Amino acid sequence: VRGPVIAVDGPAAAGKGTLAKRLAKALGVPYLDTGLLYRAVGRLVLDAGDNPADPAEAFATRLTPADLARKDLRTPDVTRAASEVAAQPAVREALIATQRSFVGPEGAVLDGRDIGTVIFPDAEVKLFITASAATRALRRFLQQGGDMQAPDAALVLKETQEALSARDLADSQRAVAPLKPAGDALQIETDHLDADQVLAQALAYARERL
Ligand code: C5P
């Protein structure tokens, strides 16, 4: 039997990864960034070029730890490819077992888009982390080493926000496992919270349920 699952879902750059990692550490359980699975499939599809007709599903069924450990999974082209392959039902289907079997008797924290709705609808703790598009774009910009004083800062920030919004729209509108809060998720809106405050809220909520 599996241990308790803590599902952390939400749109891009809302702070899911930061929170999920810190929650896992605080609770002493393993952490899985499920976005990496879709990124790895997207990367393999890009590497394959135009060769096979529709290889995404095949890649998803035989992902290796080495595919997930690649350094080049966060480039803009991989990010777009990840969101594209993530809309394919067969790709999602192929990755379900990988995600479910990650959770052992000690439990785990998983972050993604559909953990609390599809992968673990019976998760003990469900969190949905949000922030406005402007806040998320600024966080992503600074995280990528952006300088607010640079002459092109406003332009880069605008492009970052457009890319995030386009991806959220695609992730929210796809037919299979769209991005949306589970009915029984605690939503944390993080515009006016720092990472420590988000962790404190999430941890208090999780401890009541574990
Ligand atoms: O979380 P991250 O930004 O790394 O995810 C990359 C893409 O993978 C997302 O835009 C989304 O399309 C997809 N994804 C998903 N379901 C998950 C995790 C990620 O569809 N559980």
Side-chain angles (χ1 to χ4, degrees), residues 33-41 63 67-70 73-74:
D33 169 2
T34 65
L36 270 190
L37 303 173
Y38 297 91
R39 288 175 180 276
V41 175
L63 274 187
D67 294 327
L68 299 179
R70 291 176 62 154
L73 297 180
R74 303 215 171 264

Side-chain angles (χ1 to χ4, degrees), residues 14 130-132 135 139 188-195 197-198 201:
T130 61
S132 67
T135 297
R139 286 184 189 156
I188 305 181
E189 207 276 324
T190 67
D191 273 82
H192 303 288
L193 300 175
D194 65 24
Q197 293 171 315
V198 179
Q201 278 192 23

Side-chain angles (χ1 to χ4, degrees), residues 19-208:
L19 172 65
K21 258 180 244 144
R22 296 182 70 183
L23 268 179
K25 202 170 170 205
L27 297 168
V29 299
Y31 159 61
L32 180 65
D33 169 2
T34 65
L36 270 190
L37 303 173
Y38 297 91
R39 288 175 180 276
V41 175
R43 173 80 261 169
L44 292 167
V45 167
L46 291 179
D47 290 349
D50 294 332
N51 275 342
D54 186 15
E57 175 193 353
F59 290 135
T61 56
R62 45 182 160 77
L63 274 187
T64 67
D67 294 327
L68 299 179
R70 291 176 62 154
K71 295 268 178 277
D72 52 0
L73 297 180
R74 303 215 171 264
T75 60
D77 56 337
V78 172
T79 301
R80 274 191 303 272
S83 188
E84 274 165 32
V85 299
Q88 298 181 25
V91 168
R92 305 202 70 86
E93 188 64 37
L95 294 176
I96 287 178
T98 313
Q99 295 171 83
R100 291 192 179 145
S101 64
F102 179 78
V103 182
E106 72 280 36
V109 178
L110 291 87
D111 81 26
R113 302 293 185 289
D114 64 337
I115 308 304
T117 52
V118 174
I119 306 299
F120 289 104
D122 56 350
E124 281 69 11
V125 178
K126 298 183 186 180
L127 302 167
F128 195 84
I129 310 302
T130 61
S132 67
T135 297
R136 293 185 288 113
L138 181 60
R139 286 184 189 156
R140 182 51 52 90
F141 175 79
L142 295 173
Q143 187 185 49
Q144 290 172 340
D147 172 7
M148 285 304 285
Q149 306 304 321
D152 65 345
L155 179 66
V156 176
L157 206 48
K158 180 167 167 276
E159 287 170 355
T160 304
Q161 183 168 331
E162 281 166 2
L164 281 182
S165 296
R167 185 149 64 98
D168 290 342
L169 191 69
D171 288 346
S172 306
Q173 293 190 337
R174 67 184 175 218
V176 199
L179 167 67
K180 66 166 183 214
D184 53 350
L186 172 72
Q187 296 203 37
I188 305 181
E189 207 276 324
T190 67
D191 273 82
H192 303 288
L193 300 175
D194 65 24
D196 288 343
Q197 293 171 315
V198 179
L199 176 67
Q201 278 192 23
L203 208 47
Y205 183 77
R207 287 199 164 123
E208 283 169 21

